[in-house]
Amino acid sequence: RTFSSDQINGAYYRSSLISAQVDWRFKPVELRFIGSDQRADGEGYHDFDQTELPLLLANSRNQPSEQRTAEFQILSTPDSPFGDRLEWVAGLFYLEGFGGFDPLRFKVAPDAFNAAGLPPVTALVLNTLLDAAFVAAGLPPFSQGVTAHTSGIIEYQSYSAFAQGTYTLVPERLHLTLGARYQSEERGLSKSNLAVVLDDGTEIVVRDDKKPIDYAPDLTAKQLSPRVALRWNPGGGDSQIFSSYSRGYKSPTYNTVNVTDRPDPVKEEKVDAYELGFKTRLLDSTLRLNGAVFYTEQEDVLTGFVSITSGGIVSYQNAGETEIKGAELDFLWVPMPELNPGLVLTGSGTLLDAEYVSYPNGPGFDEATGLAYGPGSTTPLPPRDLSGNRVVRTPKRSYNLGFNQRFDFGDSAIEIGADLAHSSSFFFLPQNSDEYARAANTVVDARISYFYTPWQIQLTAFGRNITDEEYVESNFSVEWGSARTLNAPRVFGAGIKWTF
C-alpha cells in the first residue's frame, strides 16, 4: 500500500471511566442502580489533502468530552406477583454530557487548489467563490492561504422512563412482550466561533457567538419508543417463531463545526422496524438454523457530507425517507456427530433492498468537475434529486461460509479452519456514482492451531486474505478528489496463547 502525506497523521487521547453497580435482592423484586462518569480529551492531526504537499492541514488541538449517566431499575423475580408467567423490568435513566472541538485549526496553503492538481476550471471556480466570500468579510483572499480556528461544543441532557414485560400466554408455547420508553432530551450548541489568523499572528474574529440562545436555541425532543414482540414455540422446545415491531429515534442536534454559516438544526430521525423470523434446532440438535425477514422505514434520515466549509469534519443533514427490505439466514451444523464430532460447518447470508424513497435535496460532487453541489457545499450549485438511489453502504447480497475441524490426540489437539466472506458492491455516497463505490469482493481466511492441554498453550498459524483480494475499504471525498483506502493485503502470521 502507498500513502502520501507531508506530516504524521494520528491522534492522542486521555480518558477515564468510573462506574458502579449496586444490586438489592428482595423476595418480590430486585433493585439495581448503575452509574458512570466518563471523561476524555485529546488532539488529532490529519493531512486533509493526503498528498506529499503541505496543502491543507486539520488539527484538533483540544477535543473535550464528558458524559455522566445514572440508571435505576426494578426487576421482577420468580416471587413477584404472577412470577410464574410474567417477567418484567422498569426504570429511570439520566444522561448528561458535552463534546466537540475547542478549537479546530484548519490551515490552507496559498493556491492550494491549483497545487493539488485540480482541473483549471474547477480550481478557478473554487478560488473565485471563496475569495469573494473572504473579501466580503474583510479578510485577505482565500487563494492567498488561510489559517482558521473554529470551535463548537454540543451539550446534552436527557431523562427517560422505561418498562418492558414478557407474559406467557400459553406455558412453554406462546409469549407476548410489550415495552415502551419515554425520553425527554435537550441539546444545545455553545462556543460556535470562527477566527482567521494572519501571517503576523493577528487574529480576526469572524463570528463570536457568546450567547448561543440568540442564534442556535436549545433543541428539545420528547419521544415515545414502543416495542411489541410475539414468540411462539410450536413444540414447546428450542425452536421458535417470532415477530416484533419497534420505533426508535436519533435526537435533533446541531453540527459541531460551522465554518461559513451560522448553524442550522438537524431534525430528529425516526425509525420503524418490523421483523418476522424463526430459530430452530433440527436433526437431533446437530443443526441450528435461524432466519428472518425485516422491513425498516426511516424518516428524516441523518446522512453525512464532508466539505471544506465544514472544516473537514462530517456535516450531518436530513436525507428524507428510506425503505430497507431484507432477509437473512444463518446456520451451524455438525454433520457427522458420531463419526466426526469435531467437524463444524457455519454459514450466513443477507439480501438487502435499501433505497432513498425521498431525497430531493441531495448533496454530492459533480463527476465532470469535482465541484460540490447541494447543502453544505462550497458552491451555489443546486442540490440534486437522489430519490430512488441506493442507501449508502448497503450491499444487495452478502454471505459467509466456514468450516472448523478438530482432531484430539490425548492431551493434544489440532484444529484447522477456513472462512469465506463475500459482499456485493455498494456506494459510499448517496449520489450512487461509480467514482464513490466499492466493487464486489470475496475474502478467504485460513488457520491451523495446536493445543497442548497440560500447559494450557495454543500455537496458531494463520493467513488472512490469502487470495490477495483488493478493494476500497473506505472513501474520503472532498472538493479536490477522493482519498481511497484499500483493504489489508494478504497477511500470514503466527501467534501463541498461554493461559495461566
Side-chain angles (χ1 to χ4, degrees), residues 16-37:
S16 64
L17 170 64
I18 300 173
S19 63
Q21 177 173 320
V22 182
D23 294 281
W24 295 271
R25 294 183 175 89
F26 304 96
K27 264 198 169 183
V29 296
E30 179 179 338
L31 304 181
R32 178 175 299 159
F33 172 80
I34 306 170
S36 70
D37 188 330

Side-chain angles (χ1 to χ4, degrees), residues 284-455:
D284 293 328
S285 294
T286 60
L287 173 62
R288 187 180 69 197
L289 182 65
N290 307 319
V293 293
F294 52 88
Y295 173 75
T296 302
E297 290 181 330
Q298 296 173 291
E299 185 177 327
D300 292 322
V301 184
L302 288 181
T303 184
F305 186 72
V306 179
S307 171
I308 295 175
T309 56
S310 68
I313 306 300
V314 175
S315 175
Y316 291 101
Q317 304 165 2
N318 293 108
E321 301 176 11
T322 70
E323 287 186 356
I324 303 174
K325 307 169 187 175
E328 56 188 7
L329 189 72
D330 69 80
F331 72 88
L332 187 151
W333 186 26
V334 181
M336 296 179 284
E338 301 296 333
L339 295 176
N340 186 5
L343 176 62
V344 179
L345 306 179
T346 59
S348 64
T350 302
L351 298 175
L352 281 178
D353 180 13
E355 81 171 28
Y356 294 101
V357 177
S358 174
Y359 198 173
N361 61 334
F365 299 96
D366 184 83
E367 292 188 45
T369 65
L371 293 173
Y373 58 80
S377 69
T378 51
T379 74
L381 295 175
R384 300 181 184 179
D385 189 351
L386 305 181
S387 304
N389 285 6
R390 287 189 58 81
V391 176
V392 297
R393 297 180 179 272
T394 55
K396 291 184 177 181
R397 297 174 303 279
S398 60
Y399 60 83
N400 296 271
L401 296 172
F403 83 91
N404 197 81
Q405 175 68 67
R406 182 181 178 96
F407 302 97
D408 290 298
F409 307 96
D411 292 335
S412 303
I414 292 177
E415 277 189 5
I416 58 174
D419 302 287
L420 180 148
H422 172 82
S423 173
S424 61
S425 61
F426 63 75
F427 298 101
F428 289 102
L429 295 180
Q431 69 184 91
N432 284 192
S433 167
D434 290 339
E435 180 72 15
Y436 315 108
R438 175 193 288 185
N441 60 85
T442 303
V443 176
V444 179
D445 300 336
R447 62 200 171 274
I448 180 169
S449 298
Y450 170 75
F451 300 84
Y452 186 60
T453 305
W455 292 359

Side-chain angles (χ1 to χ4, degrees), residues 17 127 131 178 363 499:
L17 170 64
N127 282 327
D131 281 354
L178 298 176
T499 305

